[in-house]
Amino acid sequence: AQSVTQLDSHVSVSEGTPVLLRCNYSSSYSPSLFWYVQHPNKGLQLLLKYTSAATLVKGINGFEAEFKKSETSFHLTKPSAHMSDAAEYFCVVIHGSGNTGKLIFGQGTTLQVKP
Amino acid sequence: DTGVSQNPRHKITKRGQNVTFRCDPISEHNRLYWYRQTLGQGPEFLTYFQNEAQLEKSRLLSDRFSAERPKGSFSTLEIQRTEQGDSAMYLCASSLVGTSPYGTDTQYFGPGTRLTVL
């Protein structure tokens, strides 16, 4: 069965410093992986997705993630944090193969950005 | 704005009452999903529709829960005889599914309905 594990429940960085949010996945198939962000009182927003094309995926707001099959990882990075990046981040895998669509979410990582 | 909308945004009810939530997906999207998110957790899948057909239901969806999408557009999620354990954020998402296996099933989420059962 597919699953994702977010290795940190809480990450704190200073504004202008790099961000690293870690995610490991488990999948019997070649996975489709996503990162979503959830700001307080707002809906989940897609940051980026990996679907077996390029292993380095660029997303919105300067975020990117690298798919590493050998490490079963899909870590999210950003070179320089901004105050507006403070939010909850979810690593997500699609359940099963093909086009079933059901998303399996990690537990989430809270990103705190200090001035 | 033509994103996913959900109503109401907040619902407070007493244990034992019935509640109904509505989701309006992005207009051309053929798939609609319901998820539940409890405090401090990631969302969990409940059910989904392709057009008006309900294709899968999670074991989390007890017989007190029912979902419909009668004309393949909006959807409703009803909870009968609510319990305190039903308190959560209920999220709706929609997507447009093509023929490619990894093509277009990117899910767009609504703001959610927060249910509090007293």
Side-chain angles (χ1 to χ4, degrees), chain A residues 9 15 20 30 34-35 40 43 48 55 61 71-72 74 79 86 94 98 104:
Chain A
S9 59
E15 189 176 21
L20 171 64
S30 180
F34 306 79
W35 277 97
L48 49 81
T55 57
N61 300 334
E71 299 176 10
T72 62
F74 189 57
I94 281 189
I104 307 298

Side-chain angles (χ1 to χ4, degrees), chain B residues 79-94:
Chain B
I79 308 175
Q80 296 182 326
R81 305 180 304 281
T82 52
E83 302 173 355
Q84 288 184 325
D86 297 331
S87 295
M89 177 76 85
Y90 290 84
L91 297 167
C92 175
S94 70

Side-chain angles (χ1 to χ4, degrees), chain A residues 4 7-9 22 26 28-30 42 53 62-63 76 101:
Chain A
V4 288
L7 300 175
D8 307 289
S9 59
R22 299 182 295 163
S26 173
S28 305
Y29 312 97
S30 180
K42 292 193 176 180
F63 284 94
L76 181 71

Side-chain angles (χ1 to χ4, degrees), chain A residues 29-32 34 36 38 41-46 49 51-52 88 90 94-95 97-108, chain B residues 9-10 31 33 35 37 40-45 48 56 89 91 97-112:
Chain A
Y29 312 97
S30 180
S32 291
F34 306 79
Y36 278 84
Q38 187 175 37
N41 300 316
K42 292 193 176 180
L44 286 155
Q45 181 183 20
L46 179 68
K49 67 177 181 179
T51 55
S52 75
E88 189 80 11
F90 293 97
I94 281 189
H95 175 78
S97 64
N99 209 7
T100 61
K102 181 169 71 175
L103 300 181
I104 307 298
F105 285 77
Q107 296 283 73
Chain B
R9 293 290 306 275
H10 303 273
R31 274 202 184 168
Y33 298 82
Y35 294 84
Q37 184 178 21
Q41 303 294 317
E44 295 174 293
F45 169 81
Y48 84 97
E56 187 174 346
M89 177 76 85
L91 297 167
V97 175
T99 55
S100 168
Y102 299 110
T104 54
D105 196 23
T106 296
Q107 295 178 34
Y108 297 88
F109 282 81

